[in-house]
Amino acid sequence: KANTLRAWEREGILPKSIFKKPSADPRGVRRMYSRVMVEGLVRIAKEEKIFFPDKGKRLTETNFTEKAVQLFKTCNQI
């Protein structure tokens, strides 16, 4: 969800997206994520087993952030 992405950006779990869009909202611009970024994050989350809090791992116990940073770097070069 968008709220999760924003929270993870604030906490430094995800890098900030370079894609932005002007917004009439007084809070400023909208961050945009490509389909490749979102699908990549879902894939990484599944690989790192963080989707299910009762069965999965905590983010701090995974390589999620490192993999997300690499994904975003790759997407930003395309």
Side-chain angles (χ1 to χ4, degrees):
K1 292 185 176 187
N3 289 343
T4 301
L5 293 175
R6 286 191 294 271
W8 284 359
E9 267 189 11
R10 274 192 311 274
E11 294 170 18
I13 295 166
L14 280 182
K16 292 187 179 193
S17 176
I18 64 165
F19 306 114
K20 298 194 183 338
K21 173 181 151 181
S23 172
D25 190 301
R27 293 174 290 181
V29 298
R30 297 282 183 201
R31 290 179 293 281
M32 305 293 291
Y33 299 89
S34 70
R35 182 181 191 108
V36 172
M37 290 171 140
V38 173
E39 289 176 351
L41 291 173
V42 169
R43 178 184 46 78
I44 294 167
K46 286 180 181 178
E47 287 172 3
E48 295 294 322
K49 298 180 178 27
I50 61 170
F51 265 147
F52 305 104
D54 57 329
K55 299 176 188 174
K57 299 178 183 176
R58 294 179 181 186
L59 281 172
T60 56
E61 300 170 338
T62 70
N63 293 317
F64 181 84
T65 298
E66 293 83 4
K67 290 181 177 183
V69 167
Q70 186 58 45
L71 170 69
F72 279 35
K73 283 181 183 176
T74 302
C75 291
N76 292 341
Q77 293 173 1
I78 297 173

